[in-house]
Amino acid sequence: MTALTLALTATNSGNRNGTGSNRCCCSGRFWYPSSHHSDFYSSTTACPSFGKPKRGTSAFAPAVRCHSAKTNAPKPKMNLLDNASNLLTNFLSGGRMGSMPMAEGAVSDLFGRPLFFALYDWFLEHGSVYKLAFGPKAFVVVSDPIVSRHILRENALSYDKGVLAEILEPIMGKGLIPADIDTWKQRRRVIAPGFHALYLEAMVKVFTDCSERTMLKFEKLLAGEGRKGGKTIELDLEAEFSSLALDIIGLGVFNYDFGSVTKESPVIKAVYGTLFEAEHRSTFYIPYWKFPLAKWLVPRQRKFQKDLKFINDCLDDLIRNAKETRQETDIEQLQKRDYLKLKDASLLRFLVDMRGADVDDCQLRDDLMTMLIAGHETTAAVLTWAVFLLAQHPSKMKKAQAEIDSVLGQRRITIESIKKLEYIRLVVVETLRLYPQPPLLIRRSLKSDKLPGGHKGDNNGYAIPAGTDIFLSVYNVHRSPYLWDNPNDFEPERFLVKRVSQGIEGWAGFDPSRSPGALYPNEIMSDFAFLPFGGGPRKCVGDQFAFMESTIALAMLLQEFDIELKGSPESVEIVTGATIHTKNGLWCRLMKRQDIQSL
Ligand code: HEM
């Protein structure tokens, strides 16, 4: 596949306001896009506010950019490659989809920055539903709550995971994320009940125990530094959160203690190797691993096969052990077990013990592997960006710490106290709005459908044929200037206020009373304008698990420590891939909290 056929097209049409493109200086990353879609390796320098774009460098070289939305940078000139690519794409991609606008862009520009920031610019330019073509492939990009509701909930079973499934299948097999609709129906019915109330309550203890291990590690490091006369330590918090999330997911899903906060082991290395490869595949545009001999000839593929086998063998052992001690039980009884007293409260135990849910080991392994990957990096990323945002807003950091002091003092968190930690929860929520993990959801239509026109779109909607690939940009919806005031600002308090829909036909606005008692503002309250865990039947099965885990880890960190970024926010480079994360880690300075010490 040549660079040319991979290139993004620039077709002339759809620019309804007739203006030039408003180029964004942002960058970010993508959850498992197609392997053959352009370059997602570009990185960016994080900047919380609007800024002037610093135009990209080479396809794989870091570029200095901001997180901002729209800028007034001039539209770049198209070069020969761009023009050739446009012609080719016009020819191959089947032209227009009725009245649907088509994105206009330049290949050379796209190669200088990650895709989903470009998608934001085109959203502002072309509206909330537009067609984007990559060489022989075309995608419909959706940035609208009404259209999202249609795809994710109202007509959800007419869509599967398309290119996402193609990439993930070699790693996750028929696990829930890539699963075809029939497999998904069967497995979701069995897995979802596993996240019941008593299990989640038991998990709160796992979250606090594991977070405590992390805090103890920091305290020991500080004590060591104290002996040398220092009062602060410098740490890559992203790496620390990654270890913490791995330990939690191992214990919660298959009762295996990786202990990665304090040690390294071959299995941890193999897990990171596999995660790294999943990431690589989601960002590399030539699916060379599909070539027949690649897994023997390409060193990284050989390593990947070795890592995968190592983890699969471990998972097989855990499954065998669980099956040897199986106690077949009805689902209602399983949900009433005293999970706080059980030695093994894991999801694997639940799945193996469930009466009538006999499933082959291969499917069970796919399920475990899926949850290991889905539940690890996402949570680590949320914690990383929460700290990044708080460190830039010291008054909000103080407000969060004041809440922790008044709700907890120096006590441990319980499930009841999570409910009272409202501000901490809103910090997590606002982090998920600004840095959604993943920033794009991927779908393929299984039959022809008619998408609603969306805000400012065609009132008659847009007919799409079977096989249409869709990028639902959660990032765009979450930062839409039509749905949010100051969409790029960090304002956790925004979720306390009801928002009436003004001039957006079919969108019900944001109303917390629509989902009373919910742990976090969700897609129901926001009528699909806020989708931190997706929505509809394929919504994240671990949302409560993940949300409580993030709240607890963040609260326990802020309870003990003050945190500063080591460098400026601009020096934190973002890279794109499976989640939005940093290129070189989130380096922070940690010190024991002053106000706590003087209490
Ligand atoms: C903050 C952390 C997390 C975030 C932001 C997150 C986000 C998401 C999102 C947006 C989806 C929907 C994907 C789509 O519609 O294409 C999803 C699906 C999924 N997530 Fe999560 N997730 C998180 C943590 C977890 C955890 C901890 C687990 C498991 C313990 C998990 C397991 C899954 C599974 C199995 C699916 C597929 C569900 C299905 O298709 O039925 N996630 N997640």
Side-chain angles (χ1 to χ4, degrees), residues 94-116:
R96 302 174 115 258
M97 267 178 193
S99 60
M100 190 183 293
M102 285 183 74
E104 185 182 42
V107 184
S108 45
D109 182 47
L110 187 78
F111 277 151
R113 62 186 180 154
L115 177 66
F116 80 81

Side-chain angles (χ1 to χ4, degrees), residues 31 152 161 164 175-179 184 187-188 191 195 199 207 248-249 252-253 347 367 370-383 428 432 435-443 472 474 531-547 549-550 579:
W31 206 24
L152 296 180
K161 299 288 180 87
L164 177 70
L176 273 188
I177 288 183
W184 170 81
R187 295 311 292 160
R188 176 93 190 191
I191 292 171
F195 288 88
Y199 168 75
F207 305 154
I248 288 176
I249 204 76
V253 174
L347 199 64
D367 293 334
T370 300
M371 278 180 277
L372 172 66
I373 294 179
H376 167 253
E377 222 199 340
T378 42
T379 311
V382 173
L383 288 166
V428 173
L432 279 162
Y435 297 91
Q437 315 288 353
L440 299 179
L441 303 183
I442 294 171
R443 294 291 188 274
L472 196 164
V474 181
L531 304 162
F533 295 99
R538 295 198 83 155
K539 180 175 171 172
C540 179
V541 77
D543 66 330
Q544 307 278 318
F545 181 112
F547 194 80
E549 173 186 6
S550 310
T579 51

Side-chain angles (χ1 to χ4, degrees), residues 128-129 141-156 159 441 443 451-452 454 470-474 476-478 483 523 527-531 534-536:
S128 50
V129 181
V141 180
V142 169
S143 316
D144 185 90
I146 301 155
V147 190
S148 305
R149 197 177 61 206
H150 174 88
I151 295 168
L152 296 180
R153 190 174 69 193
E154 288 152 6
N155 210 8
Y159 294 87
L441 303 183
R443 294 291 188 274
L451 297 179
I470 296 180
F471 288 166
L472 196 164
S473 174
V474 181
N476 288 359
V477 177
H478 284 188
L483 305 169
E523 73 286 2
D527 196 16
F528 282 72
F530 182 56
L531 304 162

Side-chain angles (χ1 to χ4, degrees), residues 57-267:
T57 51
S58 76
F60 297 96
V64 180
R65 298 176 193 287
C66 277
H67 282 195
S68 73
K70 194 171 166 178
T71 66
N72 293 320
K75 190 172 174 171
K77 283 203 180 115
M78 303 261 260
N79 63 26
L80 196 65
L81 174 69
D82 297 332
N83 289 325
S85 149
N86 297 345
L87 281 175
L88 185 76
T89 308
N90 267 335
F91 176 69
L92 291 169
S93 72
R96 302 174 115 258
M97 267 178 193
S99 60
M100 190 183 293
M102 285 183 74
E104 185 182 42
V107 184
S108 45
D109 182 47
L110 187 78
F111 277 151
R113 62 186 180 154
L115 177 66
F116 80 81
F117 283 106
L119 299 187
Y120 189 82
D121 289 351
W122 287 313
F123 154 50
L124 298 180
E125 190 180 346
H126 298 291
S128 50
V129 181
Y130 62 85
K131 181 178 165 181
L132 174 72
F134 287 101
K137 265 270 172 238
F139 293 83
V140 170
V141 180
V142 169
S143 316
D144 185 90
I146 301 155
V147 190
S148 305
R149 197 177 61 206
H150 174 88
I151 295 168
L152 296 180
R153 190 174 69 193
E154 288 152 6
N155 210 8
L157 298 188
S158 298
Y159 294 87
D160 70 6
K161 299 288 180 87
V163 288
L164 177 70
E166 284 162 15
I167 294 179
L168 292 183
E169 198 271 336
I171 300 171
M172 296 184 185
K174 283 181 174 283
L176 273 188
I177 288 183
D180 58 89
I181 299 281
D182 287 340
T183 311
W184 170 81
K185 274 187 190 159
Q186 266 180 15
R187 295 311 292 160
R188 176 93 190 191
R189 241 196 321 262
V190 174
I191 292 171
F195 288 88
H196 57 87
L198 292 180
Y199 168 75
L200 290 172
E201 201 176 326
M203 286 304 107
V204 168
K205 184 168 174 334
V206 171
F207 305 154
T208 41
D209 286 352
C210 288
S211 302
E212 206 159 69
R213 210 151 63 177
T214 300
M215 302 313 138
L216 266 175
K217 173 180 170 180
F218 296 170
E219 272 167 23
K220 274 190 191 155
L221 289 171
L222 262 171
E225 200 55 39
R227 283 192 289 278
K228 291 186 254 159
K231 285 192 170 167
T232 63
I233 46 169
E234 287 179 359
L235 281 172
D236 170 10
L237 276 187
E238 187 172 51
E240 300 300 335
F241 290 144
S242 185
S243 302
L244 172 59
L246 183 59
D247 286 359
I248 288 176
I249 204 76
L251 283 164
V253 174
F254 35 78
N255 195 36
Y256 181 85
D257 191 356
F258 286 106
S260 67
V261 162
T262 48
K263 63 173 197 278
E264 278 217 332
S265 75
V267 65

